[in-house]
Amino acid sequence: MAAQAQQETAVESVHDSVRDREIRVEQEHLDRVYRRLEEKIHEAEFLMRDAARRGQVGTPGALAERDAQVFRAGVHLNRLNNEFEDFLFGRIDLLSGKDGKKGPDGAYTAVEPAEGAVRPDNTADIAETLHIGRIGVLDEDYAPLVIDWRAPAAAPFYRSTPVDPGRVVRRRVIRSKGRRVLGVEDDLMRPELTASLDGRELPVIGDGALMAALGQARTHTMRDIVASIQAEQDLVIRAPAASVTYVEGGPGTGKTAVALHRAAYLLYQDRRRYAGGILIVSPTPLLVAYTEGVLPSLGEEGQVAIRAIGSLVEGAEATLYDSPSVARAKGSSRMLKVVRKAARGALELNDPPARLRVVAFGRRLELGAEELAEVRRTALGGTAPVNLLRPRARKLLLDALWERSGAAGRHADPELAAELRSSFDEDVASEDDFAAFLDAWWPELTPAAVLDAMADEKHLGRWARRVLNPGEVRRVARSLQRDGRSVHDIALLDELQAVLGVPARPRRKRELDPLDQLTGLEELMPVREESQRERAERLARERVEYAHVIVDEAQDLTPMQWRMVGRRGRHATWTVVGDPAQSSWSDPDEAAQARDEALGTRPRRRFELTVNYRNPAEIAELASKVLALAMPGSRSPRAVRSTGVRPRFAVVRDALGETVRAEAARLLEQVDGTVGVVVAMRRREEARRWLDGLGDRVVALGSLEAKGLEYDATVVVSPAEIADESPAGLRVLYVALTRATQQLTVVSQERDEPDAAGVPDLLRD
Ligand SMILES: Nc1ncnc2c1ncn2[C@@H]1O[C@H](COP(=O)(O)OP(=O)(O)OP(=O)(O)O)[C@@H](O)[C@H]1O
């Protein structure tokens, strides 16, 4: 026994010394990289100073040169400052071979080793070693010290698998903090080989980086996965952006992570093209807060706007929730008709004048109610937005007055007749009364004013006749009377904006800045004048359309929301990620149709993600029981790991709040990271009170708020209550059950009909 223990200790220490040696090897490389980076920073700073000096000379040549230098140096400094932390994370050791073919996405496809690279006795030499990091760094001879993770040459780091290893023998993830290498984790892609590097056998350390990453405690912000992107995810990240990249995958398959990394990849691939901006649409502000740190960690921020679906309209912010039946009405494409009628009908509100009186050519002219109604009807026959039809209405009024004046037949000569008409128009239009009439009779409408008018049940009833039933009219009108907007109201505001239009206003002239002439200057600005974040926010405010639109949790967009998002990417390429089984929208077919309209006829490339990286198998298995009820016949993604900890079932004895609090406190002891307590939407407020004083590692969430988020452990409170809350309740419950990375507790009350073991009816076999 003692001998065996001694032997094990010896093996361990040999292993440790190999690990230490390998860490030293990587430390030496990292030191070289840092020395090189410092040189580059000095160079960039010198260039900035030098450029500033030349700028004072002021000759046109010096100015142009200054611009170019400032631009290059600024970009460099910006990147270096952003990414100085922890940017070297990977390494691949390759057999000799050709560089291989580039696939349609520009990345190298399976690169086969050269003939003879593997000897008949299965031994081989490592011919090439590449280090992968957040940005590329070249040494003084332009040889790569670090390859940017998005470069085609880095693709084998992500694509190589033991089934299809290509030239990769060993894939290593390097963990470092600042300038210190802390550890390495290796995966052997060709375990059958005995490979040597510089005459020594290639050592292998650890159990692979993926498992290490997945087991880590969660915080309230998402981490990037750049060191452990898996092959099926890499295919999506690097997919060409020619049209629509459409990705489906179950909970935890990395859809959100992939979407964020794809944004960074696209910018790297074609910065100029995506200077038009990338919009990432997220379902909730909570998910925006959770994910928005990922892009800066990948060195990208300025061109990407991550917005919650309830924050897409400038000046409005969703803070309220609608009941399922109100949401269903407001989100449905039936609302289109209602909104169009409301936009036109709103012209009649606020008592528009019933007659128009003017004096022209010395005569009193008048149009009465009937004639005005006729003019309005004709004007509204146009297809332009209501606010933009005002000039047409004005013209029709003048026509009617001209007719009334009897001056039409006065001249036979067309030129004279036209002249007379034009002086008539001028005469009328210059009258204050006419202008005042027009303002009152065809006022400029704002989306907010029309939506407020829809809060009046009588008005809404008129505009929604034969579209919404009386119950829906009542409920929708009431919901619009509340203080604040819901996420569905935001889509209505956007639709109203489109139906109303914004009349052209004289543009303010921008100050001329010589630097504006510089192409790509946008990259430099953040360094000198505003932070990346301020810039992203400014661009998001100013921008109406984007070059690429990424929709996360796409299964949840209602038809009206698809229209809103579609307007932001009319000329864009798209990445759409979602999971129909998690849809909280009651009519997926209607939403799919609206999605197809938003995406138009663009060709789609479909991808599927099949591996669940979030939930351990024990939790995934329980969730799959609800999946079978929610979407019979659909497959659960395969969980990659198992913890041996089965979900726990607790039954409420006395007060629900006390049981939930006790279970949350228990989980806080068990895990290092976060605990999420998911309740039916109507219990959100009380659930927050239940957890009072337990600290900020635990949060209470309504079922719809849990979308996309994850916690070390979750407490799901009353599955039946969550499932019964809406027509899509079972799918919402499926979302709730798939949020935990380590532990899950399900709390049941009587209505859950728990069995003797506490398992609620919905989760039994
Ligand atoms: N290749 C990977 N390496 C390390 N972690 C990963 C990898 N892929 C995904 N993950 C992790 O798995 C978790 C789930 O990822 P993500 O939230 O992107 O999944 P999702 O498909 O969007 O899930 P849902 O549909 O439930 O919202 C995250 O913690 C993510 O960081």
Side-chain angles (χ1 to χ4, degrees), residues 210 213-214 218 222-225 228-230 233 249-258 287 290 552-553 555 579 582 609 612-614 707-710 735 738-739 741:
L210 177 64
L214 297 182
R218 295 309 199 261
M222 193 176 191
R223 273 186 294 260
D224 69 60
I225 58 165
S228 54
I229 292 167
Q230 300 297 293
Q233 299 174 325
T253 51
K255 296 181 299 297
T256 301
V258 160
L287 192 56
Y290 182 61
D552 193 9
E553 306 284 356
Q555 75 281 351
D579 176 13
Q582 296 183 61
L609 298 177
N612 178 351
Y613 298 99
R614 177 188 299 128
K707 190 111 306 169
L709 298 174
E710 63 183 14
V735 174
T738 50
R739 298 304 100 196
T741 66

mmCIF file of all heavy atoms in Angstrom, residues 210 213-214 218 222-225 228-230 233 249-258 287 290 552-553 555 579 582 609 612-614 707-710 735 738-739 741, ligand 1:
data_model
loop_
_atom_site.group_PDB
_atom_site.id
_atom_site.type_symbol
_atom_site.label_atom_id
_atom_site.label_comp_id
_atom_site.label_asym_id
_atom_site.label_seq_id
_atom_site.Cartn_x
_atom_site.Cartn_y
_atom_site.Cartn_z
ATOM 1 N N LEU A 210 -11.751 22.335 -22.768
ATOM 2 C CA LEU A 210 -13.199 22.524 -22.796
ATOM 3 C C LEU A 210 -13.792 22.198 -21.432
ATOM 4 O O LEU A 210 -14.529 22.981 -20.855
ATOM 5 C CB LEU A 210 -13.818 21.653 -23.887
ATOM 6 C CG LEU A 210 -15.333 21.728 -23.949
ATOM 7 C CD1 LEU A 210 -15.765 23.135 -24.321
ATOM 8 C CD2 LEU A 210 -15.909 20.714 -24.896
ATOM 9 N N ALA A 213 -13.099 24.723 -18.893
ATOM 10 C CA ALA A 213 -13.899 25.953 -19.047
ATOM 11 C C ALA A 213 -15.333 25.732 -18.571
ATOM 12 O O ALA A 213 -15.931 26.576 -17.912
ATOM 13 C CB ALA A 213 -13.906 26.392 -20.500
ATOM 14 N N LEU A 214 -15.885 24.562 -18.904
ATOM 15 C CA LEU A 214 -17.303 24.343 -18.607
ATOM 16 C C LEU A 214 -17.557 24.208 -17.107
ATOM 17 O O LEU A 214 -18.619 24.565 -16.621
ATOM 18 C CB LEU A 214 -17.803 23.084 -19.326
ATOM 19 C CG LEU A 214 -17.742 23.141 -20.851
ATOM 20 C CD1 LEU A 214 -18.309 21.877 -21.449
ATOM 21 C CD2 LEU A 214 -18.490 24.347 -21.380
ATOM 22 N N ARG A 218 -19.974 30.400 -12.602
ATOM 23 C CA ARG A 218 -20.492 31.498 -13.423
ATOM 24 C C ARG A 218 -20.585 32.780 -12.595
ATOM 25 O O ARG A 218 -20.829 32.741 -11.389
ATOM 26 C CB ARG A 218 -21.890 31.155 -13.961
ATOM 27 C CG ARG A 218 -21.912 29.991 -14.914
ATOM 28 C CD ARG A 218 -20.886 30.182 -16.016
ATOM 29 N NE ARG A 218 -21.129 29.358 -17.191
ATOM 30 C CZ ARG A 218 -20.516 28.217 -17.447
ATOM 31 N NH1 ARG A 218 -19.613 27.736 -16.613
ATOM 32 N NH2 ARG A 218 -20.766 27.542 -18.553
ATOM 33 N N MET A 222 -21.050 37.078 -19.040
ATOM 34 C CA MET A 222 -20.619 35.930 -19.848
ATOM 35 C C MET A 222 -19.143 36.068 -20.215
ATOM 36 O O MET A 222 -18.651 37.167 -20.392
ATOM 37 C CB MET A 222 -21.458 35.917 -21.125
ATOM 38 C CG MET A 222 -21.350 34.651 -21.912
ATOM 39 S SD MET A 222 -22.484 34.743 -23.335
ATOM 40 C CE MET A 222 -22.437 33.056 -23.899
ATOM 41 N N ARG A 223 -18.467 34.937 -20.336
ATOM 42 C CA ARG A 223 -17.064 34.973 -20.774
ATOM 43 C C ARG A 223 -16.989 34.620 -22.245
ATOM 44 O O ARG A 223 -17.868 33.933 -22.778
ATOM 45 C CB ARG A 223 -16.276 33.903 -20.014
ATOM 46 C CG ARG A 223 -15.740 34.354 -18.678
ATOM 47 C CD ARG A 223 -14.870 33.258 -18.131
ATOM 48 N NE ARG A 223 -15.669 32.087 -17.834
ATOM 49 C CZ ARG A 223 -16.086 31.775 -16.603
ATOM 50 N NH1 ARG A 223 -15.765 32.531 -15.598
ATOM 51 N NH2 ARG A 223 -16.821 30.696 -16.394
ATOM 52 N N ASP A 224 -15.912 35.060 -22.893
ATOM 53 C CA ASP A 224 -15.754 34.602 -24.274
ATOM 54 C C ASP A 224 -15.279 33.155 -24.259
ATOM 55 O O ASP A 224 -14.797 32.645 -23.251
ATOM 56 C CB ASP A 224 -14.808 35.531 -25.050
ATOM 57 C CG ASP A 224 -13.378 35.450 -24.584
ATOM 58 O OD1 ASP A 224 -12.805 34.357 -24.648
ATOM 59 O OD2 ASP A 224 -12.826 36.483 -24.138
ATOM 60 N N ILE A 225 -15.468 32.457 -25.398
ATOM 61 C CA ILE A 225 -15.080 31.044 -25.468
ATOM 62 C C ILE A 225 -13.960 30.859 -26.483
ATOM 63 O O ILE A 225 -13.781 29.794 -27.059
ATOM 64 C CB ILE A 225 -16.282 30.150 -25.851
ATOM 65 C CG1 ILE A 225 -16.887 30.568 -27.196
ATOM 66 C CG2 ILE A 225 -17.343 30.185 -24.775
ATOM 67 C CD1 ILE A 225 -17.819 29.522 -27.794
ATOM 68 N N SER A 228 -11.822 27.840 -26.615
ATOM 69 C CA SER A 228 -12.351 26.477 -26.682
ATOM 70 C C SER A 228 -13.517 26.322 -27.650
ATOM 71 O O SER A 228 -14.336 25.425 -27.505
ATOM 72 C CB SER A 228 -12.776 26.027 -25.280
ATOM 73 O OG SER A 228 -13.680 26.961 -24.727
ATOM 74 N N ILE A 229 -13.567 27.209 -28.659
ATOM 75 C CA ILE A 229 -14.617 27.079 -29.677
ATOM 76 C C ILE A 229 -14.526 25.674 -30.286
ATOM 77 O O ILE A 229 -13.438 25.202 -30.595
ATOM 78 C CB ILE A 229 -14.386 28.124 -30.795
ATOM 79 C CG1 ILE A 229 -14.614 29.528 -30.254
ATOM 80 C CG2 ILE A 229 -15.295 27.859 -31.984
ATOM 81 C CD1 ILE A 229 -14.117 30.635 -31.192
ATOM 82 N N GLN A 230 -15.696 25.026 -30.427
ATOM 83 C CA GLN A 230 -15.687 23.673 -30.968
ATOM 84 C C GLN A 230 -15.940 23.686 -32.479
ATOM 85 O O GLN A 230 -16.460 24.658 -33.021
ATOM 86 C CB GLN A 230 -16.746 22.827 -30.266
ATOM 87 C CG GLN A 230 -16.511 22.730 -28.775
ATOM 88 C CD GLN A 230 -15.194 22.034 -28.436
ATOM 89 O OE1 GLN A 230 -15.034 20.841 -28.678
ATOM 90 N NE2 GLN A 230 -14.241 22.775 -27.881
ATOM 91 N N GLN A 233 -19.175 24.784 -33.972
ATOM 92 C CA GLN A 233 -19.418 26.208 -33.718
ATOM 93 C C GLN A 233 -18.550 27.071 -34.636
ATOM 94 O O GLN A 233 -18.977 28.101 -35.144
ATOM 95 C CB GLN A 233 -19.093 26.531 -32.256
ATOM 96 C CG GLN A 233 -19.944 25.759 -31.267
ATOM 97 C CD GLN A 233 -19.511 25.977 -29.828
ATOM 98 O OE1 GLN A 233 -18.322 26.116 -29.557
ATOM 99 N NE2 GLN A 233 -20.461 26.006 -28.913
ATOM 100 N N GLY A 249 -30.270 25.316 -32.573
ATOM 101 C CA GLY A 249 -29.612 24.438 -31.601
ATOM 102 C C GLY A 249 -30.342 24.555 -30.290
ATOM 103 O O GLY A 249 -30.911 25.599 -29.982
ATOM 104 N N GLY A 250 -30.320 23.480 -29.517
ATOM 105 C CA GLY A 250 -31.028 23.454 -28.241
ATOM 106 C C GLY A 250 -30.366 24.341 -27.206
ATOM 107 O O GLY A 250 -29.379 25.030 -27.494
ATOM 108 N N PRO A 251 -30.903 24.305 -25.991
ATOM 109 C CA PRO A 251 -30.341 25.134 -24.929
ATOM 110 C C PRO A 251 -28.873 24.798 -24.671
ATOM 111 O O PRO A 251 -28.494 23.630 -24.703
ATOM 112 C CB PRO A 251 -31.179 24.752 -23.701
ATOM 113 C CG PRO A 251 -32.303 23.939 -24.183
ATOM 114 C CD PRO A 251 -32.026 23.474 -25.553
ATOM 115 N N GLY A 252 -28.070 25.817 -24.440
ATOM 116 C CA GLY A 252 -26.683 25.585 -24.042
ATOM 117 C C GLY A 252 -25.754 25.146 -25.143
ATOM 118 O O GLY A 252 -24.603 24.787 -24.893
ATOM 119 N N THR A 253 -26.218 25.196 -26.401
ATOM 120 C CA THR A 253 -25.342 24.721 -27.480
ATOM 121 C C THR A 253 -24.377 25.822 -27.929
ATOM 122 O O THR A 253 -23.608 25.632 -28.858
ATOM 123 C CB THR A 253 -26.163 24.218 -28.693
ATOM 124 O OG1 THR A 253 -27.112 25.228 -29.044
ATOM 125 C CG2 THR A 253 -26.883 22.931 -28.366
ATOM 126 N N GLY A 254 -24.453 26.976 -27.310
ATOM 127 C CA GLY A 254 -23.492 28.036 -27.607
ATOM 128 C C GLY A 254 -23.978 29.008 -28.666
ATOM 129 O O GLY A 254 -23.180 29.737 -29.264
ATOM 130 N N LYS A 255 -25.297 29.080 -28.887
ATOM 131 C CA LYS A 255 -25.797 29.969 -29.943
ATOM 132 C C LYS A 255 -25.429 31.425 -29.674
ATOM 133 O O LYS A 255 -24.959 32.138 -30.566
ATOM 134 C CB LYS A 255 -27.320 29.826 -30.088
ATOM 135 C CG LYS A 255 -27.761 28.449 -30.530
ATOM 136 C CD LYS A 255 -29.256 28.348 -30.677
ATOM 137 C CE LYS A 255 -30.020 28.595 -29.398
ATOM 138 N NZ LYS A 255 -29.759 27.630 -28.310
ATOM 139 N N THR A 256 -25.656 31.856 -28.428
ATOM 140 C CA THR A 256 -25.333 33.244 -28.097
ATOM 141 C C THR A 256 -23.827 33.476 -28.218
ATOM 142 O O THR A 256 -23.378 34.464 -28.802
ATOM 143 C CB THR A 256 -25.804 33.571 -26.666
ATOM 144 O OG1 THR A 256 -27.204 33.356 -26.611
ATOM 145 C CG2 THR A 256 -25.487 34.998 -26.284
ATOM 146 N N ALA A 257 -23.051 32.553 -27.680
ATOM 147 C CA ALA A 257 -21.600 32.685 -27.737
ATOM 148 C C ALA A 257 -21.141 32.750 -29.197
ATOM 149 O O ALA A 257 -20.347 33.616 -29.586
ATOM 150 C CB ALA A 257 -20.945 31.510 -27.023
ATOM 151 N N VAL A 258 -21.694 31.876 -30.014
ATOM 152 C CA VAL A 258 -21.308 31.824 -31.426
ATOM 153 C C VAL A 258 -21.685 33.138 -32.125
ATOM 154 O O VAL A 258 -20.911 33.690 -32.913
ATOM 155 C CB VAL A 258 -21.985 30.602 -32.102
ATOM 156 C CG1 VAL A 258 -22.031 30.741 -33.600
ATOM 157 C CG2 VAL A 258 -21.251 29.321 -31.694
ATOM 158 N N LEU A 287 -30.179 39.986 -20.722
ATOM 159 C CA LEU A 287 -29.245 39.233 -21.561
ATOM 160 C C LEU A 287 -28.219 40.176 -22.204
ATOM 161 O O LEU A 287 -27.057 39.807 -22.394
ATOM 162 C CB LEU A 287 -29.998 38.425 -22.631
ATOM 163 C CG LEU A 287 -29.157 37.386 -23.364
ATOM 164 C CD1 LEU A 287 -28.504 36.397 -22.397
ATOM 165 C CD2 LEU A 287 -29.978 36.612 -24.389
ATOM 166 N N TYR A 290 -25.708 40.720 -19.612
ATOM 167 C CA TYR A 290 -24.923 39.498 -19.404
ATOM 168 C C TYR A 290 -23.863 39.321 -20.496
ATOM 169 O O TYR A 290 -22.761 38.882 -20.234
ATOM 170 C CB TYR A 290 -25.890 38.303 -19.389
ATOM 171 C CG TYR A 290 -25.223 36.971 -19.141
ATOM 172 C CD1 TYR A 290 -24.530 36.732 -17.956
ATOM 173 C CD2 TYR A 290 -25.300 35.949 -20.077
ATOM 174 C CE1 TYR A 290 -23.922 35.514 -17.724
ATOM 175 C CE2 TYR A 290 -24.698 34.722 -19.850
ATOM 176 C CZ TYR A 290 -24.009 34.508 -18.669
ATOM 177 O OH TYR A 290 -23.398 33.297 -18.450
ATOM 178 N N ASP A 552 -30.489 37.091 -31.863
ATOM 179 C CA ASP A 552 -30.348 36.023 -30.878
ATOM 180 C C ASP A 552 -31.748 35.666 -30.371
ATOM 181 O O ASP A 552 -32.629 36.521 -30.324
ATOM 182 C CB ASP A 552 -29.466 36.525 -29.719
ATOM 183 C CG ASP A 552 -29.020 35.386 -28.811
ATOM 184 O OD1 ASP A 552 -29.240 34.203 -29.166
ATOM 185 O OD2 ASP A 552 -28.429 35.661 -27.752
ATOM 186 N N GLU A 553 -31.931 34.404 -29.992
ATOM 187 C CA GLU A 553 -33.242 33.931 -29.507
ATOM 188 C C GLU A 553 -34.321 34.307 -30.525
ATOM 189 O O GLU A 553 -35.387 34.838 -30.178
ATOM 190 C CB GLU A 553 -33.582 34.537 -28.132
ATOM 191 C CG GLU A 553 -32.507 34.331 -27.065
ATOM 192 C CD GLU A 553 -32.461 32.914 -26.473
ATOM 193 O OE1 GLU A 553 -33.327 32.086 -26.828
ATOM 194 O OE2 GLU A 553 -31.541 32.632 -25.683
ATOM 195 N N GLN A 555 -36.388 32.695 -32.106
ATOM 196 C CA GLN A 555 -37.701 32.023 -32.020
ATOM 197 C C GLN A 555 -38.732 32.880 -31.290
ATOM 198 O O GLN A 555 -39.924 32.643 -31.381
ATOM 199 C CB GLN A 555 -37.547 30.670 -31.327
ATOM 200 C CG GLN A 555 -37.357 30.724 -29.812
ATOM 201 C CD GLN A 555 -35.936 31.074 -29.366
ATOM 202 O OE1 GLN A 555 -35.039 31.124 -30.189
ATOM 203 N NE2 GLN A 555 -35.729 31.315 -28.084
ATOM 204 N N ASP A 579 -33.988 28.625 -31.218
ATOM 205 C CA ASP A 579 -34.395 27.267 -30.888
ATOM 206 C C ASP A 579 -35.911 27.241 -30.783
ATOM 207 O O ASP A 579 -36.476 27.752 -29.806
ATOM 208 C CB ASP A 579 -33.764 26.871 -29.534
ATOM 209 C CG ASP A 579 -34.225 25.489 -29.085
ATOM 210 O OD1 ASP A 579 -34.801 24.758 -29.903
ATOM 211 O OD2 ASP A 579 -33.985 25.151 -27.903
ATOM 212 N N GLN A 582 -37.766 26.587 -27.568
ATOM 213 C CA GLN A 582 -37.764 27.546 -26.446
ATOM 214 C C GLN A 582 -38.649 28.754 -26.729
ATOM 215 O O GLN A 582 -38.559 29.769 -26.041
ATOM 216 C CB GLN A 582 -36.341 28.035 -26.178
ATOM 217 C CG GLN A 582 -35.388 26.953 -25.712
ATOM 218 C CD GLN A 582 -34.017 27.542 -25.394
ATOM 219 O OE1 GLN A 582 -33.870 28.380 -24.525
ATOM 220 N NE2 GLN A 582 -33.003 27.091 -26.116
ATOM 221 N N LEU A 609 -26.489 23.209 -34.222
ATOM 222 C CA LEU A 609 -25.560 22.947 -33.121
ATOM 223 C C LEU A 609 -26.186 21.849 -32.258
ATOM 224 O O LEU A 609 -27.373 21.921 -31.937
ATOM 225 C CB LEU A 609 -25.327 24.219 -32.303
ATOM 226 C CG LEU A 609 -24.692 25.372 -33.086
ATOM 227 C CD1 LEU A 609 -24.576 26.619 -32.216
ATOM 228 C CD2 LEU A 609 -23.319 24.979 -33.621
ATOM 229 N N ASN A 612 -24.800 20.259 -25.965
ATOM 230 C CA ASN A 612 -25.154 21.151 -24.855
ATOM 231 C C ASN A 612 -23.941 21.326 -23.935
ATOM 232 O O ASN A 612 -23.516 20.389 -23.274
ATOM 233 C CB ASN A 612 -26.340 20.518 -24.108
ATOM 234 C CG ASN A 612 -26.782 21.333 -22.904
ATOM 235 O OD1 ASN A 612 -26.113 22.285 -22.505
ATOM 236 N ND2 ASN A 612 -27.901 20.951 -22.323
ATOM 237 N N TYR A 613 -23.386 22.529 -23.916
ATOM 238 C CA TYR A 613 -22.200 22.795 -23.095
ATOM 239 C C TYR A 613 -22.568 23.330 -21.720
ATOM 240 O O TYR A 613 -21.701 23.541 -20.903
ATOM 241 C CB TYR A 613 -21.284 23.818 -23.800
ATOM 242 C CG TYR A 613 -20.775 23.303 -25.121
ATOM 243 C CD1 TYR A 613 -21.368 23.689 -26.307
ATOM 244 C CD2 TYR A 613 -19.729 22.390 -25.161
ATOM 245 C CE1 TYR A 613 -20.935 23.191 -27.511
ATOM 246 C CE2 TYR A 613 -19.293 21.886 -26.369
ATOM 247 C CZ TYR A 613 -19.903 22.286 -27.539
ATOM 248 O OH TYR A 613 -19.478 21.779 -28.720
ATOM 249 N N ARG A 614 -23.821 23.637 -21.526
ATOM 250 C CA ARG A 614 -24.206 24.262 -20.261
ATOM 251 C C ARG A 614 -24.613 23.247 -19.205
ATOM 252 O O ARG A 614 -24.029 23.190 -18.129
ATOM 253 C CB ARG A 614 -25.355 25.249 -20.471
ATOM 254 C CG ARG A 614 -25.815 25.864 -19.161
ATOM 255 C CD ARG A 614 -27.072 26.693 -19.300
ATOM 256 N NE ARG A 614 -26.881 27.805 -20.200
ATOM 257 C CZ ARG A 614 -27.662 28.083 -21.229
ATOM 258 N NH1 ARG A 614 -28.705 27.308 -21.494
ATOM 259 N NH2 ARG A 614 -27.425 29.108 -22.009
ATOM 260 N N LYS A 707 -34.601 33.911 -20.104
ATOM 261 C CA LYS A 707 -34.145 33.616 -21.466
ATOM 262 C C LYS A 707 -32.658 33.899 -21.692
ATOM 263 O O LYS A 707 -32.196 35.002 -21.432
ATOM 264 C CB LYS A 707 -34.999 34.480 -22.383
ATOM 265 C CG LYS A 707 -34.888 34.190 -23.768
ATOM 266 C CD LYS A 707 -36.064 33.591 -24.445
ATOM 267 C CE LYS A 707 -36.754 32.369 -24.006
ATOM 268 N NZ LYS A 707 -38.002 32.124 -24.653
ATOM 269 N N GLY A 708 -31.924 32.887 -22.129
ATOM 270 C CA GLY A 708 -30.531 33.092 -22.534
ATOM 271 C C GLY A 708 -29.541 33.135 -21.388
ATOM 272 O O GLY A 708 -28.343 33.058 -21.609
ATOM 273 N N LEU A 709 -30.037 33.283 -20.156
ATOM 274 C CA LEU A 709 -29.107 33.445 -19.026
ATOM 275 C C LEU A 709 -28.688 32.095 -18.465
ATOM 276 O O LEU A 709 -29.283 31.064 -18.771
ATOM 277 C CB LEU A 709 -29.784 34.268 -17.931
ATOM 278 C CG LEU A 709 -30.172 35.683 -18.339
ATOM 279 C CD1 LEU A 709 -30.969 36.351 -17.234
ATOM 280 C CD2 LEU A 709 -28.921 36.501 -18.641
ATOM 281 N N GLU A 710 -27.677 32.101 -17.615
ATOM 282 C CA GLU A 710 -27.314 30.857 -16.944
ATOM 283 C C GLU A 710 -26.720 31.132 -15.572
ATOM 284 O O GLU A 710 -26.188 32.219 -15.306
ATOM 285 C CB GLU A 710 -26.347 30.037 -17.793
ATOM 286 C CG GLU A 710 -25.025 30.710 -18.033
ATOM 287 C CD GLU A 710 -24.127 29.892 -18.953
ATOM 288 O OE1 GLU A 710 -24.615 28.950 -19.596
ATOM 289 O OE2 GLU A 710 -22.942 30.202 -18.997
ATOM 290 N N VAL A 735 -37.235 26.352 -20.984
ATOM 291 C CA VAL A 735 -36.171 27.357 -20.840
ATOM 292 C C VAL A 735 -35.716 27.410 -19.375
ATOM 293 O O VAL A 735 -34.530 27.349 -19.066
ATOM 294 C CB VAL A 735 -36.652 28.756 -21.280
ATOM 295 C CG1 VAL A 735 -35.599 29.816 -20.978
ATOM 296 C CG2 VAL A 735 -37.012 28.765 -22.758
ATOM 297 N N THR A 738 -33.416 24.688 -18.097
ATOM 298 C CA THR A 738 -32.115 24.489 -18.765
ATOM 299 C C THR A 738 -31.147 25.644 -18.486
ATOM 300 O O THR A 738 -30.278 25.938 -19.301
ATOM 301 C CB THR A 738 -32.311 24.345 -20.294
ATOM 302 O OG1 THR A 738 -33.126 25.429 -20.752
ATOM 303 C CG2 THR A 738 -32.964 23.032 -20.657
ATOM 304 N N ARG A 739 -31.284 26.312 -17.357
ATOM 305 C CA ARG A 739 -30.406 27.461 -17.065
ATOM 306 C C ARG A 739 -29.199 27.109 -16.204
ATOM 307 O O ARG A 739 -28.308 27.932 -16.044
ATOM 308 C CB ARG A 739 -31.197 28.570 -16.341
ATOM 309 C CG ARG A 739 -32.354 29.194 -17.112
ATOM 310 C CD ARG A 739 -31.921 29.762 -18.429
ATOM 311 N NE ARG A 739 -32.233 28.867 -19.525
ATOM 312 C CZ ARG A 739 -31.710 28.950 -20.732
ATOM 313 N NH1 ARG A 739 -30.847 29.878 -21.017
ATOM 314 N NH2 ARG A 739 -32.029 28.089 -21.685
ATOM 315 N N THR A 741 -25.743 25.345 -14.713
ATOM 316 C CA THR A 741 -24.514 24.680 -15.170
ATOM 317 C C THR A 741 -24.097 23.569 -14.209
ATOM 318 O O THR A 741 -23.278 22.736 -14.543
ATOM 319 C CB THR A 741 -23.346 25.672 -15.276
ATOM 320 O OG1 THR A 741 -23.032 26.139 -13.967
ATOM 321 C CG2 THR A 741 -23.690 26.850 -16.152
HETATM 322 N N1 LIG B 1 -16.908 25.928 -27.086
HETATM 323 C C1 LIG B 1 -17.198 26.306 -25.863
HETATM 324 N N2 LIG B 1 -16.258 26.376 -24.912
HETATM 325 C C2 LIG B 1 -16.543 26.762 -23.653
HETATM 326 N N3 LIG B 1 -17.764 27.099 -23.248
HETATM 327 C C3 LIG B 1 -18.754 27.042 -24.157
HETATM 328 C C4 LIG B 1 -18.527 26.650 -25.498
HETATM 329 N N4 LIG B 1 -19.687 26.727 -26.160
HETATM 330 C C5 LIG B 1 -20.606 27.157 -25.287
HETATM 331 N N5 LIG B 1 -20.039 27.337 -24.080
HETATM 332 C C6 LIG B 1 -20.688 27.800 -22.866
HETATM 333 O O1 LIG B 1 -21.922 27.136 -22.739
HETATM 334 C C7 LIG B 1 -22.881 28.018 -22.198
HETATM 335 C C8 LIG B 1 -24.077 28.107 -23.098
HETATM 336 O O2 LIG B 1 -23.764 28.907 -24.209
HETATM 337 P P1 LIG B 1 -24.827 29.904 -24.827
HETATM 338 O O3 LIG B 1 -25.475 30.694 -23.762
HETATM 339 O O4 LIG B 1 -24.189 30.597 -25.943
HETATM 340 O O5 LIG B 1 -25.882 28.834 -25.367
HETATM 341 P P2 LIG B 1 -27.243 29.077 -26.131
HETATM 342 O O6 LIG B 1 -27.315 28.054 -27.210
HETATM 343 O O7 LIG B 1 -27.380 30.481 -26.506
HETATM 344 O O8 LIG B 1 -28.265 28.676 -24.998
HETATM 345 P P3 LIG B 1 -29.814 29.077 -24.824
HETATM 346 O O9 LIG B 1 -30.528 28.671 -26.060
HETATM 347 O O10 LIG B 1 -30.222 28.255 -23.660
HETATM 348 O O11 LIG B 1 -29.858 30.510 -24.547
HETATM 349 C C9 LIG B 1 -22.168 29.345 -21.986
HETATM 350 O O12 LIG B 1 -21.671 29.401 -20.683
HETATM 351 C C10 LIG B 1 -21.023 29.273 -22.949
HETATM 352 O O13 LIG B 1 -19.949 30.057 -22.549
#
